Amino acid sequence: MVALTVTVSGGRAEREALELAVLAPYAAKSANSGGRHYSEHEHDYRTPYQRDRERIIHSRAFRRLEYKTQVFVNHEGDYYRTRLTHSLEVAQIARTVARALRLNEDLAEAVALSHDLGHTPFGHAGESAMHALMQAHGGFEHNRQSFRVVTVLEDSYPRFPGLNLTVEVLQGLTKKGGVYSFADGAPFPQSGVHTLEAELADVADEIAYNNHDIDDGLKSGMLSLDDLAAVPLWTAHFSRVAEEMSAASLRVKILQTVKDVINTLVTDLLEQTLKNIESQGLHSLEAVREKGPGAVRMSEAMRKENALLKRTLFAKLYHHYRVERMAVKAGRVVRELFGAYCENPRILPPQFFSRVEAEGKERAVCDYIAGMTDRFALQEYKKLFDPFERV
Ligand code: MG
């Protein structure tokens, strides 16, 4: 028998050295991070990206993802994806690909877990209502709001606002471009911080939602197998699965097909990305930063197949009349809450009211509503508009 000796080893320096030895030349290594906006002592045995991932998981905004709509409003059924389970599936895919490509898993996971923190309640219906309300006051966009959540709104540290994440994680949140700045007004330096890990989290997002929306859509009855008949990416796998496991239930066949579609997309992504890394000469992190985004992609043929799947989901599921009905209701709740708080900002909780002077009442109200879960927004709507409800 081999005796196991357990020792506490592996301080941060050791872990960072391990990354340098094991990860690919084009990967982001913790030891070479561009650091944090507010200087801090790094942890004794956790790497900076590992620490970022853990700060995100412990944040309030992350916990609230549990009750925020992905496509289906949370109270429609416990089975459906929420933004929390969606984010976990994105992180899972990102980790798989990161490990296979010898990228930094902690960084890819940190970006994946934080990518949806800025979403309003009620998914895209909530977001478009908020954008319309904020037109004259700087607008609203969920990626910008994710950046705002982790640089301004989370408030658990005494010396700085937000979570003070590394610039590489922050860059992963600045997807739509434009100018981003920190709470103290300093601009966020977007050049020279690009990583393949951040790019990967973005592609993993798309693979995750296309596939879990097929699963949720079919389960809800709002999407049918007939709707997917014109999507070769689906039908090719579904007919093979149906033949191979003819005795299995339809439910199992569907789940096996979803699994195979994800596997096909992820494998194609891996193979094409390796080719791109080679053809673009990305033999170091410096080369990745110089080149900018574009290496972590599926092949042209697979992107076309995937786009057809996405168009089908848009037409059949995201615009299903029941989804539209919820969207109309969601827009009304967001608009009426916004109107009530702006009419008298003193009904805001003190920590949001205190921001009115510096940020303007619209931005303070927008931050408050954007942070709400679906069910909190609905409860608040009742409290403010139902005369018999306790406030
Ligand atoms: Mg997402």
Side-chain angles (χ1 to χ4, degrees):
M1 188 181 281
V2 182
L4 282 178
T5 328
V6 180
T7 52
V8 178
S9 72
R12 178 164 50 84
E14 199 175 310
R15 299 214 175 279
E16 291 181 353
L18 201 64
E19 284 188 357
L20 288 167
V22 170
L23 297 185
Y26 45 78
K29 284 89 175 174
S30 305
N32 302 329
S33 168
R36 307 175 188 278
H37 185 58
Y38 303 92
S39 68
E40 280 187 75
H41 285 296
E42 283 303 331
H43 193 268
D44 286 348
Y45 51 87
R46 292 183 297 159
T47 67
Y49 299 141
Q50 192 184 350
R51 197 182 198 192
D52 281 1
R53 174 193 167 277
E54 288 152 13
R55 286 185 175 184
I56 291 157
I57 286 187
H58 288 279
S59 70
R60 272 171 310 161
F62 185 75
R63 286 194 295 282
R64 290 200 192 117
L65 294 176
E66 182 176 4
Y67 292 103
K68 288 199 177 201
T69 294
Q70 181 67 27
V71 174
F72 299 91
V73 177
N74 183 278
H75 61 247
E76 286 187 35
D78 292 347
Y79 168 88
Y80 301 118
R81 267 71 171 185
T82 65
R83 284 217 180 266
L84 180 64
T85 57
H86 160 71
S87 299
L88 295 175
E89 291 185 26
V90 175
Q92 186 276 121
I93 291 171
R95 281 177 57 104
T96 296
V97 178
R99 190 174 296 185
L101 291 174
R102 287 193 296 132
L103 289 170
N104 195 314
E105 283 179 57
D106 293 328
L107 174 57
E109 193 177 8
V111 177
L113 292 174
S114 56
H115 86 284
D116 269 355
L117 291 179
H119 268 285
T120 60
F122 314 118
H124 289 284
E127 174 169 16
S128 60
M130 189 61 89
H131 180 58
L133 292 163
M134 291 299 287
Q135 272 296 312
H137 313 283
F140 180 86
E141 197 271 320
H142 72 263
N143 293 305
R144 298 197 78 82
Q145 192 68 9
S146 297
F147 188 88
R148 192 166 163 78
V149 166
V150 300
T151 56
V152 179
L153 298 173
E154 283 289 325
D155 57 353
S156 37
Y157 296 90
R159 285 197 312 106
F160 49 78
L163 303 176
N164 202 27
L165 305 175
T166 59
V167 288
E168 290 80 13
V169 174
L170 291 179
Q171 188 271 331
L173 302 178
T174 61
K175 276 190 267 186
K176 289 272 166 78
V179 179
Y180 284 73
S181 40
F182 291 102
D184 59 9
F188 172 65
Q190 288 181 78
S191 60
V193 285
H194 175 68
T195 64
L196 296 179
E197 287 82 352
E199 215 179 323
L200 165 60
D202 197 26
V203 185
D205 183 24
E206 186 169 339
I207 295 177
Y209 69 66
N210 278 332
N211 286 284
H212 63 50
D213 288 352
I214 295 180
D215 180 19
D216 284 355
L218 289 171
K219 176 81 177 173
S220 72
M222 292 190 218
L223 185 72
S224 70
L225 287 171
D226 281 351
D227 293 332
L228 294 169
V231 182
L233 184 59
W234 173 263
T235 50
H237 289 289
F238 187 69
S239 44
R240 186 184 39 75
V241 164
E243 206 178 290
E244 278 174 16
M245 43 189 94
S246 54
S249 67
L250 180 59
R251 187 75 211 129
V252 167
K253 285 175 189 153
I254 287 170
L255 291 173
Q256 288 299 308
T257 307
V258 169
K259 173 183 77 72
D260 286 356
V261 174
I262 295 177
N263 191 55
T264 301
L265 294 171
V266 168
T267 305
D268 180 89
L269 173 65
L270 269 173
E271 289 169 357
Q272 186 62 45
T273 300
L274 275 173
K275 282 183 204 161
N276 294 344
I277 286 169
E278 198 49 48
S279 68
Q280 295 178 17
L282 305 180
H283 300 307
S284 66
L285 183 58
E286 289 66 40
V288 169
R289 287 179 164 163
E290 216 164 280
K291 188 85 188 167
V296 186
R297 308 187 80 167
M298 291 184 267
S299 66
E300 190 63 36
M302 197 57 77
R303 284 216 305 281
K304 278 192 182 141
E305 291 221 36
N306 196 46
L308 178 58
L309 166 61
K310 203 170 165 172
R311 282 201 301 278
T312 306
L313 287 171
F314 258 96
K316 304 292 182 185
L317 178 62
Y318 307 146
H319 289 297
H320 189 280
Y321 83 98
R322 276 167 57 200
V323 175
E324 294 279 358
R325 283 168 69 93
M326 192 58 221
V328 167
K329 190 150 93 172
R332 185 176 308 125
V333 170
V334 168
R335 279 191 299 277
E336 294 196 8
L337 287 177
F338 190 91
Y341 297 131
C342 284
E343 195 183 333
N344 184 357
R346 290 195 175 277
I347 64 174
L348 288 169
Q351 69 272 30
F352 285 91
F353 180 70
S354 67
R355 309 182 66 87
V356 167
E357 207 180 339
E359 308 248 19
K361 67 179 178 186
E362 290 82 6
R363 184 56 63 189
V365 166
C366 169
D367 285 337
Y368 183 44
I369 297 176
M372 291 179 183
T373 61
D374 298 359
R375 63 174 189 175
F376 184 89
L378 291 170
Q379 279 164 7
E380 184 70 352
Y381 181 86
K382 248 182 127 180
K383 282 183 190 173
L384 292 178
F385 295 102
D386 179 346
F388 298 100
E389 193 71 20
R390 289 170 65 119
V391 295

